[in-house]
Amino acid sequence: MRSTVVTFPNGRVSGRSPIVGAVPVGDRHGLVTAETPFHPLDHTWPDQPADRGTIGELPVLDCVTGAQSNDGEIFVGESIPVRRGAEGWEWLVVHVTDTPLPVGAEVDLEVDAGYRAALSAGHTACHLAALALNAALADRWRKEVRQDRLGHPDFDQTAITSSRIVPHGSVDEYRLGKSLRKKGFSADDLDLTELAGRVNERLGTWVAARAPVRLDVPGPGLTALRTWHCSLPEGEASIPCGGTHVRDTAELGTVEVAFTLEEATLTMRTTCG
């Protein structure tokens, strides 16, 4: 089996392709097509949920990442024993159904466009919120750390422990523990209301700017190293990303964040719409 050609980075939500393989996924059936518009759950950083939709008119109950080794064995999801994109492996999109379809059959693939759009908005808002958070916390660093593409200390990538995209939003968790303090960050007297106000003010400016959003797509494979770009008033922002996005910030309507802090974990909830 060859690696699946994916069309979701270009915004596609439908397609037609032959089924080239099948693999058990628990007591369900995993169908692999030569090409697909479906975005699967990433097994290494499962931030954006899998697309919903149909394959050959069957409901796609889940969509996961698969990897085939040189000897032909296929691993799915968390059972994949190698790093994403490892050489010598074929990387697959596995559409999970309750009913099998024959290998070789030509099928239509249809993604739930409304659900995709909601996740795309949530993912773009997530990146914007991370950049705005970096800017709002820039004066709390006492040591030099890596910077984001807008020139601010990259709190997001330094402290993040989990990120989850939801329809029209995201939930991101950051660890404000001893390790972060050693790197030079101070969370003393952190006022969450003031922080949200500073982040939201910047987000409002960025949404009003109708800043263009694009994905750099270097290849058709699932594991191609894609990059999110947004032409913000402060400059061109970019973040490595395998998800889906809107075309400009105006599509988001509004973007706002709220924070909670519990046991040294800062949670940022982002909503848009």
Side-chain angles (χ1 to χ4, degrees), residues 121-211:
H123 209 148
T124 300
C126 177
H127 286 342
L128 292 174
L131 292 167
L133 179 62
N134 288 346
L137 294 175
D139 59 357
R140 288 184 166 270
W141 291 92
R142 301 292 178 263
K143 296 180 182 179
E144 292 292 326
V145 295
R146 61 173 289 185
Q147 296 185 338
D148 64 24
R149 289 299 299 271
L150 298 180
H152 300 122
D154 200 341
F155 171 85
D156 174 73
Q157 288 301 298
T158 304
I160 196 164
T161 57
S162 72
S163 180
R164 181 164 53 90
I165 308 301
V166 298
H168 302 292
S170 64
V171 180
D172 296 275
E173 295 185 347
Y174 303 95
R175 183 67 179 168
L176 307 183
K178 185 183 298 184
S179 176
L180 196 64
R181 288 197 298 273
K182 287 183 177 180
K183 293 176 181 177
F185 183 82
S186 173
D188 294 343
D189 302 318
L190 184 62
D191 185 322
L192 300 186
T193 300
E194 179 189 16
L195 178 61
R198 295 173 68 182
V199 171
N200 287 335
E201 182 179 5
R202 190 175 296 264
L203 289 170
T205 299
W206 288 349
V207 169
R210 304 183 65 90

Side-chain angles (χ1 to χ4, degrees), residues 44-238:
T44 55
W45 186 249
D47 56 348
Q48 181 167 333
D51 278 332
R52 299 171 179 172
T54 60
I55 178 172
E57 301 185 353
L58 296 177
V60 174
L61 305 176
D62 198 2
C63 191
V64 296
T65 301
Q68 184 178 42
S69 63
N70 285 329
D71 62 8
E73 187 173 1
I74 298 176
F75 300 85
V76 175
E78 294 180 355
S79 70
I80 296 173
V82 294
R83 286 181 175 272
R84 174 186 170 94
E87 291 187 15
W89 289 68
E90 302 294 337
W91 293 87
L92 312 170
V93 176
V94 181
H95 313 80
V96 181
T97 64
D98 265 339
T99 305
L101 289 171
V103 173
E106 190 96 3
V107 293
D108 291 314
L109 299 109
E110 297 288 342
V111 172
D112 182 330
Y115 185 63
R116 161 76 70 78
L119 292 177
S120 296
H123 209 148
T124 300
C126 177
H127 286 342
L128 292 174
L131 292 167
L133 179 62
N134 288 346
L137 294 175
D139 59 357
R140 288 184 166 270
W141 291 92
R142 301 292 178 263
K143 296 180 182 179
E144 292 292 326
V145 295
R146 61 173 289 185
Q147 296 185 338
D148 64 24
R149 289 299 299 271
L150 298 180
H152 300 122
D154 200 341
F155 171 85
D156 174 73
Q157 288 301 298
T158 304
I160 196 164
T161 57
S162 72
S163 180
R164 181 164 53 90
I165 308 301
V166 298
H168 302 292
S170 64
V171 180
D172 296 275
E173 295 185 347
Y174 303 95
R175 183 67 179 168
L176 307 183
K178 185 183 298 184
S179 176
L180 196 64
R181 288 197 298 273
K182 287 183 177 180
K183 293 176 181 177
F185 183 82
S186 173
D188 294 343
D189 302 318
L190 184 62
D191 185 322
L192 300 186
T193 300
E194 179 189 16
L195 178 61
R198 295 173 68 182
V199 171
N200 287 335
E201 182 179 5
R202 190 175 296 264
L203 289 170
T205 299
W206 288 349
V207 169
R210 304 183 65 90
V213 175
R214 64 180 177 86
L215 278 178
D216 178 29
V217 184
L222 177 61
T223 58
L225 298 177
R226 297 181 290 277
T227 306
W228 173 88
H229 294 266
C230 187
S231 300
L232 295 168
E234 292 91 330
E236 180 80 2
S238 64

